Amino acid sequence: MSDSAHDRGVQMKLPRFDIKTMGPAIALILLCIIGYALNPAFASEGNITNLLTRSAFIGIIAVGATFVITSGGIDLSVGSMAAVIAGVMIIIMNNVVDTFGAGVTTVLIGCGCSVILGLGAGWANGFLTTKGKIEAFIVTLGTMGIYRSLVTYFADGGTLSLDFSIRGTYRPVYYDSFFGLPIPVWVFIVVAIVGWILLNRTAFGRYCMAIGSNEAVARYSAINVDRIKTWTYVIQGLCVSLATIIYVPRLGSASSSTGVLWELEAIAAVIIGGTVLKGGYGRIGGTILGALILTTIGNILNFTDLISNYLNGTMQGLIIIVAVWLQRGDWGRARRAKT
Amino acid sequence: MHLMKTLAALTIGGVLSLSATAFAEDKIKIGVSYPTPTHAWAAGMNWHAENAAKRLEALYPDIDIILVNSPDPSAQASALEDLVSVNQIDALVVLPFESEPLTDPVLNVKKSGAFITVVDRGLSQPGIEDLYVAGNNPELGRVSAAYMKTRLKDGDNIVVLRGIPTVIDTERFDAFMAELEGSGINVLDHKHANWNRDDGFEVMQDFLSRFPDIDAVWAQDDDIAIGVVAALKQAGRDGDGMFVIGGAGMKETIKSIMDGDTLIPIDVLYPPAMLATAMDLTVANFKSNGPVAGRYILGATVITPENAEQFYFPDSPF
């Protein structure tokens, strides 16, 4: 108690010491300044809205990934999981449209199935990791391949397309706005707030950090490690299904190229945000900034022709490394007394 | 007991004689090797190849076609060895995964005396294949630019969405730019959208925020074009004579051209059925009285409402 009070006091007096936690925010602000300098249209309302909406997919998935990584796990299957859930959702909605019509019922059935699939796929990852005693990296590498080939199989190698009559009903979920913000952004905000409360204000969140710091100690402290870890994968699955629900109405299709590399983008967003890859410490706020940074980089690269298209990957790599370095570098920490 | 033995002997004898006649028939065996389809265009190619195999086998009872797809170059090299040693093929139709690693394996098949047909991706050593069948990437770019010139005038602005950075993409893009030169049409910028709907959508959104005046879009590919159209509709900039040109010949795009869509008025074919064409020509080598060896470069046909029906295969996955 006294420790945290002390910390807060230091923060209030000397906010500049907080550069570690401010790292992602500083990186994002710098990026925005660069974007605006390159082209003032960067700051146009339309572009900002596009940016936020685009960030929603990776952002929502990354909130789930924050829990998994904080408790010392990793989930490589999220991109493939999103693709297969999108594919199955489309198949189900196309099949029930004759029975229930092209109305809200059909869309709700599709969304319901998405949530069930997400929870189930997440639970499978968690169960195999905890009860199966297989490393999370291997389990999710395996499920990544399984989900990816399943969506290719369902689509017969091609693309699954949502029935045109349903698109009219479902389309607003991606394209419509509510109080000036597109619906995907609202979903992102709600997921972020719930995630923040869950990680920072509940026993579950503290257990995640404890397990990530030292699983053995957590177990001796009477934490049900297997259950908590399984829950983190279930949360990840739920986040993937929410992201899929807002992804499908965008183009109304899913194929084997859907969600490729989303797992790495989500993990990158989490780490840029300040969560530690080996677990024990997680930050939802940072994760959200991380997702915004990743989307902004791509957006800025589309706004300029200064850099050869072939070097896009180089720029992204450099900015990611610098953004993490901003918070991991010593930054005069050596001067602080360590107790 | 005696009866059982007789029966068994009869059955075995029957099977042996049957297989003996099968061997005696001496079928012409044609092996077809190509990469496992991982994207829609390749799935379409697979579908057309399977159909061609059924059609040719029904037409010529003494032709036996063996389709094999492989997930990576080394698997394809092994598949080629098996086609020679196990199936003892008389002809090989191959769409190589990559030119370099498959040149030697194909050369080995040729040494066995088989007729070699190479499809789409050339080998790194000339003179191995008897027959070469390929699409025409530069022509796809040139034809698209030629259409742009008929619709646009001096001073009009277009944006270009490119594919995955590869030789295919560069050939298409360079030919497009060369044809456009001197027309006065401005290419505002070009970015890679990786032959992918989502990337097409995002790149086009950014182009729309960045450039207030765009008259037309060259998307190079039907998947990218779908993303582009979604972005145009979202921004409400799909009117005013705006048009998008894709490419490849996706069935949904061809259907909408047949229905008279003005946003995507034409499509440029990069035929997913090219493997089927190659199989037809290979069979003709054994069946036709005319010579077939040589190089066949398929046209980048412009698909318009008038001829769209001929390229529309509703059952194909692409």
Side-chain angles (χ1 to χ4, degrees):
Chain A
M1 196 62 217
S2 65
D3 267 1
S4 65
H6 175 71
D7 277 353
R8 228 164 271 155
V10 171
Q11 268 180 16
M12 268 188 264
K13 270 185 235 155
L14 303 163
R16 66 199 158 89
F17 268 135
D18 220 17
I19 196 157
K20 272 191 74 155
T21 44
M22 295 306 287
I26 294 169
L28 183 60
I29 291 167
L30 279 177
L31 274 176
C32 290
I33 292 171
I34 293 169
Y36 184 75
L38 285 170
N39 191 334
F42 174 82
S44 67
E45 194 198 331
N47 190 50
I48 299 296
T49 321
N50 285 345
L51 253 180
L52 291 172
T53 318
R54 238 180 259 175
S55 309
F57 303 133
I58 294 300
I60 291 170
I61 293 175
V63 168
T66 310
F67 286 94
V68 173
I69 293 175
T70 301
S71 61
I74 192 100
D75 192 343
L76 300 175
S77 69
V78 293
S80 308
M81 198 194 287
V84 79
I85 292 176
V88 173
M89 259 180 96
I90 290 173
I91 294 173
I92 288 172
M93 285 192 279
N94 286 350
N95 278 317
V96 299
V97 72
D98 291 332
T99 327
F100 295 98
V104 182
T105 324
T106 305
V107 173
L108 284 179
I109 290 173
C111 296
C113 291
S114 166
V115 170
I116 292 166
L117 284 169
L119 294 174
W123 180 82
N125 279 340
F127 181 79
L128 288 170
T129 311
T130 53
K131 299 295 179 199
K133 305 213 187 302
I134 313 170
E135 283 86 347
F137 191 94
I138 297 301
V139 169
T140 56
L141 187 68
T143 48
M144 171 171 91
I146 294 169
Y147 299 148
R148 179 66 61 199
S149 71
L150 278 181
V151 70
T152 314
Y153 174 74
F154 291 147
D156 201 7
T159 306
L160 290 161
S161 295
L162 189 60
D163 196 284
F164 266 94
S165 55
I166 313 170
R167 284 192 201 187
T169 321
Y170 199 2
R171 202 173 176 275
V173 173
Y174 182 83
Y175 289 100
D176 271 16
S177 289
F178 183 69
F179 284 112
L181 279 179
I183 290 169
V185 180
W186 283 109
V187 178
F188 186 19
I189 292 172
V190 171
V191 169
I193 292 174
V194 172
W196 188 86
I197 293 173
L198 204 54
L199 188 64
N200 296 299
R201 289 288 179 272
T202 65
F204 174 77
R206 280 190 295 278
Y207 291 163
C208 286
M209 298 206 193
I211 293 169
S213 302
N214 192 325
E215 205 174 308
V217 171
R219 191 165 277 129
Y220 291 137
S221 316
I223 297 175
N224 190 336
V225 172
D226 285 355
R227 200 174 67 197
I228 300 290
K229 282 177 85 173
T230 307
W231 269 110
T232 62
Y233 289 97
V234 172
I235 290 173
Q236 173 74 87
L238 179 66
C239 288
V240 171
S241 81
L242 288 175
T244 311
I245 288 171
I246 55 171
Y247 167 81
V248 169
R250 181 161 91 169
L251 297 172
S253 63
S255 70
S256 54
S257 64
T258 298
V260 168
L261 294 183
W262 280 10
E263 57 280 348
L264 291 188
E265 280 187 51
I267 294 168
V270 172
I271 305 308
I272 290 172
T275 299
V276 181
L277 185 55
K278 63 177 190 291
Y281 177 68
R283 293 181 56 218
I284 295 285
T287 298
I288 286 146
L289 291 171
L292 289 171
I293 288 173
L294 285 178
T295 324
T296 311
I297 298 170
N299 181 249
I300 290 176
L301 289 171
N302 280 342
F303 261 79
T304 173
D305 44 13
L306 285 178
I307 299 156
S308 161
N309 284 331
Y310 302 127
L311 289 176
N312 277 4
T314 308
M315 294 310 295
Q316 281 164 338
L318 280 174
I319 293 169
I320 289 171
I321 291 171
V322 167
V324 176
W325 175 69
L326 272 177
Q327 42 186 317
R328 300 285 159 84
D330 257 345
W331 296 107
R333 241 176 107 235
R335 278 185 277 125
R336 273 205 268 177
K338 282 180 188 163
T339 49
Chain B
M1 204 59 201
H2 187 69
L3 183 72
M4 286 287 276
K5 269 185 189 163
T6 322
L7 268 179
L10 275 175
T11 323
I12 291 170
V15 169
L16 281 177
S17 65
L18 266 179
S19 54
T21 46
F23 272 112
E25 239 183 301
D26 204 19
K27 284 195 169 190
I28 299 166
K29 293 208 180 78
I30 299 175
V32 183
S33 164
Y34 52 98
T36 307
T38 51
H39 57 277
W41 184 86
M45 183 187 74
N46 181 48
W47 183 84
H48 282 288
E50 283 170 359
N51 277 11
K54 273 183 225 143
R55 175 170 53 78
L56 288 165
E57 284 180 345
L59 191 59
Y60 302 110
D62 60 334
I63 294 272
D64 183 15
I65 294 176
I66 306 138
L67 296 173
V68 187
N69 59 51
S70 316
D72 58 69
S74 64
Q76 193 177 20
S78 319
L80 292 183
E81 285 170 7
D82 290 349
L83 282 172
V84 174
S85 59
V86 180
N87 302 99
Q88 298 176 327
I89 49 169
D90 302 293
L92 172 71
V93 179
V94 58
L95 198 161
F97 228 107
E98 282 170 36
S99 306
E100 204 64 46
L102 283 155
T103 298
D104 266 345
V106 176
L107 191 60
N108 288 336
V109 179
K110 186 175 177 64
K111 282 179 188 154
S112 78
F115 180 88
I116 305 287
T117 303
V118 172
V119 186
D120 203 30
R121 211 158 299 156
L123 299 171
S124 57
Q125 207 178 315
I128 298 175
E129 70 271 10
D130 300 290
L131 184 63
Y132 179 67
V133 179
N136 196 336
N137 283 308
E139 186 66 5
L140 184 143
R142 196 196 64 78
V143 167
S144 308
Y147 181 82
M148 289 275 177
K149 289 203 289 192
T150 65
R151 290 278 306 263
L152 300 172
K153 53 185 192 301
D154 196 351
D156 280 347
N157 298 320
I158 64 167
V159 289
V160 174
L161 290 92
R162 303 175 59 171
I164 294 171
T166 48
V167 179
I168 299 171
D169 171 69
T170 312
E171 282 181 355
R172 291 177 178 181
F173 177 73
D174 289 348
F176 179 88
M177 297 303 276
E179 177 67 23
L180 218 55
E181 205 172 282
S183 64
I185 299 169
N186 304 317
V187 176
L188 295 171
D189 199 4
H190 55 93
K191 292 285 176 203
H192 290 281
N194 307 318
W195 293 317
N196 173 313
R197 296 181 184 193
D198 290 310
D199 290 354
F201 181 78
E202 292 182 3
V203 172
M204 194 62 213
Q205 273 192 330
D206 290 345
F207 276 155
L208 288 168
S209 309
R210 185 174 156 198
F211 303 115
D213 178 24
I214 300 173
D215 298 296
V217 183
W218 184 45
Q220 201 208 81
D221 172 79
D222 293 335
D223 270 315
I224 300 180
I226 285 175
V228 168
V229 167
L232 286 170
K233 288 193 170 154
Q234 182 196 24
R237 282 167 70 173
D238 51 338
D240 270 349
M242 165 69 87
F243 66 96
V244 183
I245 301 178
M250 181 191 288
K251 62 176 177 185
E252 287 87 356
T253 311
I254 294 179
K255 181 77 176 64
S256 78
I257 291 171
M258 280 161 71
D259 297 344
D261 186 9
T262 51
L263 200 52
I264 302 185
I266 60 151
D267 198 12
V268 185
L269 188 67
Y270 193 78
M274 64 169 72
L275 197 55
T277 312
M279 287 159 66
D280 274 320
L281 285 166
T282 308
V283 169
N285 178 60
F286 295 96
K287 293 292 176 189
S288 166
N289 59 333
V292 295
R295 294 172 63 80
Y296 294 72
I297 308 300
L298 302 172
T301 315
V302 176
I303 301 170
T304 60
E306 288 74 39
N307 69 358
E309 194 134 12
Q310 160 188 5
F311 302 101
Y312 183 55
F313 301 97
D315 297 331
S316 164
F318 184 67

